[in-house]
Amino acid sequence: MKGLNMSDKLEISVVNGRLEEISANVLVVNLFEGVKIPAGATGAIDNALDGLISKFVIGKEGFDGKFGKMYVLPTYGKIAADKVLVVGLGKNKDFSPNRIRELSAKVIKKCKKMGCAKKVISVLHGAGIGGYDPEVSARMIAEGTLIGAYSFDKYKTEKSPKSVDEFVIVDMVEDNCKKAKAGIKKGKIIASAMNFARDLSNEQPAYATPTKLAEIAQGLKDIEVLVYEKEEIEEMGMGAFLGVAKGSSEPPKFIHMKYKYKGSQKPAQRKIAIIGKGICFDSGGLDIKPPSSMLNMKDDMSGAAAVLGIMSVLKDLKPNCEVHGIIAACENMPGCSAYKPGDVLTAKNGKTIEVDNTDAEGRLTLADALCYACDLGVDEVIDIATLTGACVVALGSAASGIMGNHQPTIDKLIKCANAGGEKMWQLPMFEEYKESLQSDIADMKNTGSRMGGAQIAGIFLENFVKKVHWAHIDVAGTAFLDKPQNEFPKGATGAGVRTIINYLMA
Ligand code: BES
Ligand code: MN
Ligand code: ZN
């Protein structure tokens, strides 16, 4: 997947020096809301520009430093950079590492738009007056810059020429630079996992097939990979997954990736499975979707894309644990051998499911994947899935839904989400939801009432979880955006990647 997007070309580095002396097309400085006379690095630039920022930008033009606001001014040769980009940090009390990331994404977008910015230099936002650890600040800058620079233009015959080649963080203190370097390294890894996932979910469904996902998994460095073919999936007794796969001419693939920490002698490591929903296209099956609902259903493998993105960077992150990445990949199509409403499927754990609606396919594939994961003897299982429209109705694109059987695991994931700039909101798994999944002829149906649909899907999944701590993350509303939000443009976001990486590293 390397080499698809523009952010790959962008080099981020750190230089120990004075901002005013380093040549660049654009120099980025910042201002907290309400500040009239800038201090620190911005103050030094203001002085070098004979008060142009304080007297003109703030004074005459009324630049107020509100979060994300920007102002560009030429430097007329007074410093080495051609132009200064002043960015608003917002109120000091609202400032956070997450804001540095979001701001950095906005800055790089602005620089790309300016067209003239091949080389950008920047202050280390927040590290001065903000009081942040330079490592944290630099990590957020690197993450935000690379997330913000991302664009998916593989299929555009005319690529946008307006790229930024070089982004350099400049600081006068040598120790800050050392720390910043470590931060940049981490930020790059995380952004690369996210952009890897975004590339896959943005891909056309004709490209990102189950076979392709398996090939990509097999190409991952330092990861052991097992790919089960249809006959082997049958032998394993995955009747629920196979039921979904039947309607498509694309063969299903059951993908099992394994990462193991090599650093320590002690065998007692955390064992975690992460399962990604891998429906490479969701037409709805025989209960076919109307056109408007089918439009973005290439994104129905975003959970799988997130898992692949995460697995792709474990060799660099080296978390001290054993991580199993699991994807039951197939398409949900209404071909002539498609599964039908009324069919009874038997999952790997022997439980029977009456198909009530062929469009509730994700939970069927996840059912078998959950059984498989639990049989591995792991301690924790996290599944991530574009599972329900009901979750989109409940939370929109602002937050992913989270449920599970172990409150501390859920709490920890929510904490990791917040720290990574993602939002997760817990939905309840009340007893009352169980009733609607009752079947007259099988152990359960695959759908129940439309009301509380996200939670009912969670309750359904719980039938396939055995003796492990389990959390289910519904990213139906967050994995793919119809309009820009925070640091993201339209399209795939890599939802869940940052949260789960933080979780593995915690
Ligand atoms: N892939 C969809 C869920 C979805 C909806 C993802 C919107 C992203 C955006 C899932 O397979 C689905 O079709 N769910 C149905 C379930 C219903 C039939 C119980 C839904 O939510 O409508
Ligand atoms: Mn569906
Ligand atoms: Zn689906």
Side-chain angles (χ1 to χ4, degrees):
M1 294 301 291
K2 280 263 145 64
L4 285 192
N5 66 68
M6 299 286 285
S7 60
D8 278 348
K9 279 192 269 167
L10 176 56
E11 264 310 311
I12 302 187
S13 58
V14 55
V15 158
N16 182 205
R18 297 171 67 87
L19 277 166
E20 55 271 39
E21 291 169 2
I22 296 175
S23 63
N25 304 108
V26 178
L27 157 60
V28 183
V29 295
N30 60 38
L31 213 58
F32 275 112
E33 191 173 327
V35 170
K36 298 280 181 235
I37 311 280
T42 308
I45 297 302
D46 186 39
N47 285 338
L49 296 176
D50 301 327
L52 205 56
I53 296 176
S54 50
K55 285 184 217 139
F56 182 71
V57 180
I58 302 171
K60 262 208 158 141
E61 293 286 88
F63 185 85
D64 53 12
K66 283 220 165 71
F67 182 70
K69 270 207 186 173
M70 301 192 198
Y71 196 102
V72 184
L73 68 156
T75 63
Y76 303 112
K78 288 187 170 142
I79 59 174
D82 302 334
K83 285 180 184 167
V84 168
L85 173 62
V86 188
V87 299
L89 296 180
K91 291 197 176 72
N92 206 331
K93 69 168 177 54
D94 298 334
F95 198 61
S96 67
N98 286 336
R99 280 206 145 176
I100 302 180
R101 183 195 299 105
E102 192 179 330
L103 187 78
S104 301
K106 289 191 163 117
V107 164
I108 196 74
K109 282 197 187 97
K110 173 79 177 176
C111 291
K112 277 177 87 171
K113 253 199 204 131
M114 283 163 71
C116 61
K118 288 263 169 241
K119 179 177 178 186
V120 179
I121 59 175
S122 172
V123 297
L124 197 50
H125 304 297
I129 312 163
Y132 285 99
D133 179 346
E135 177 171 338
V136 174
S137 172
R139 172 175 165 189
M140 291 303 131
I141 293 175
E143 237 180 86
T145 303
L146 292 170
I147 295 167
Y150 175 89
S151 65
F152 187 75
D153 57 4
K154 180 179 168 190
Y155 297 110
K156 296 260 190 201
T157 51
E158 253 174 70
K159 316 274 183 225
S160 148
K162 297 173 180 172
S163 68
V164 177
D165 299 333
E166 222 186 320
F167 190 99
V168 186
I169 297 169
V170 179
D171 200 282
M172 271 165 51
V173 184
E174 205 183 326
D175 189 49
N176 286 357
C177 292
K178 251 190 219 146
K179 288 178 180 149
K181 214 169 176 181
I184 290 173
K185 200 173 156 198
K186 283 187 195 152
K188 269 185 183 169
I189 295 174
I190 290 178
S192 122
M194 287 177 71
N195 290 346
F196 189 109
R198 291 164 87 188
D199 269 347
L200 267 174
S201 324
N202 279 326
E203 266 291 355
Q204 54 163 334
Y207 176 92
T209 59
T211 304
K212 194 74 191 178
L213 296 192
E215 276 171 29
I216 290 169
Q218 277 161 332
L220 295 176
K221 278 206 197 87
D222 296 337
I223 301 285
E224 279 173 44
V225 184
L226 276 170
V227 174
Y228 297 92
E229 305 296 329
K230 189 176 160 228
E231 299 69 35
E232 296 162 301
I233 301 169
E234 270 163 14
E235 276 163 31
M236 289 194 288
M238 296 186 170
F241 172 35
L242 282 169
V244 177
K246 271 169 72 181
S248 169
S249 55
E250 286 291 338
K253 303 278 168 177
F254 189 91
I255 307 166
H256 176 190
M257 295 162 275
K258 182 176 166 189
Y259 157 87
K260 203 168 175 180
Y261 181 68
K262 292 197 191 89
S264 109
Q265 306 297 319
K266 288 173 279 173
Q269 300 165 345
R270 262 165 97 202
K271 288 185 185 166
I272 307 169
I274 45 177
I275 302 174
K277 173 175 171 180
I279 298 296
C280 293
F281 189 74
D282 182 10
S283 71
L286 286 170
D287 289 313
I288 198 159
K289 288 180 185 289
S292 61
S293 306
M294 205 190 295
L295 197 60
N296 282 333
M297 281 303 134
K298 67 174 187 181
D299 82 343
D300 216 17
M301 36 60 77
S302 295
V307 169
L308 284 164
I310 294 161
M311 297 305 291
S312 78
V313 297
L314 293 183
K315 64 172 191 327
D316 305 315
L317 285 170
K318 301 184 181 70
N320 185 2
C321 49
E322 188 175 299
V323 185
H324 297 266
I326 295 164
I327 299 166
C330 71
E331 291 184 338
N332 185 24
M333 296 291 282
C336 55
S337 52
Y339 76 140
K340 306 166 193 75
D343 277 349
V344 176
L345 310 174
T346 306
K348 190 176 185 304
N349 65 354
K351 290 195 184 172
T352 57
I353 308 155
E354 181 186 5
V355 178
D356 186 59
N357 189 317
T358 63
D359 198 11
E361 83 297 338
R363 63 195 73 182
L364 294 170
T365 62
L366 290 173
D368 280 330
L370 284 164
C371 294
Y372 181 95
C374 292
D375 288 349
L376 293 173
V378 295
D379 315 303
E380 296 158 72
V381 176
I382 301 167
D383 76 73
I384 172 162
T386 46
L387 203 62
T388 66
C391 189
V392 190
V393 172
L395 302 173
S397 58
S400 307
I402 184 166
M403 288 152 258
N405 65 2
H406 186 242
Q407 195 58 40
T409 302
I410 296 169
D411 290 341
K412 199 170 147 196
L413 277 162
I414 293 174
K415 247 177 101 182
C416 290
N418 294 340
E422 299 197 280
K423 290 195 184 77
M424 288 191 187
W425 196 259
Q426 186 173 0
L427 300 172
M429 301 248 284
F430 294 136
E431 287 281 320
E432 284 83 346
Y433 296 127
K434 285 196 178 139
E435 196 194 317
S436 88
L437 287 170
Q438 273 174 14
S439 161
D440 293 334
I441 65 163
D443 295 341
M444 70 196 90
K445 297 188 295 182
N446 72 331
T447 61
S449 157
R450 277 184 50 222
M451 307 299 158
Q455 297 93 300
I456 290 172
I459 295 275
F460 176 89
L461 294 179
E462 200 175 15
N463 285 294
F464 306 92
V465 176
K466 200 170 63 188
K467 284 191 279 184
V468 294
H469 294 157
W470 161 70
H472 157 61
I473 303 170
D474 193 331
V475 290
T478 49
F480 203 91
L481 300 172
D482 315 320
K483 55 176 187 345
Q485 179 179 286
N486 304 334
E487 57 264 49
F488 298 106
K490 271 171 139 181
T493 61
V497 169
R498 285 178 283 183
T499 300
I500 294 176
I501 287 180
N502 282 349
Y503 186 82
L504 297 176
M505 298 303 289

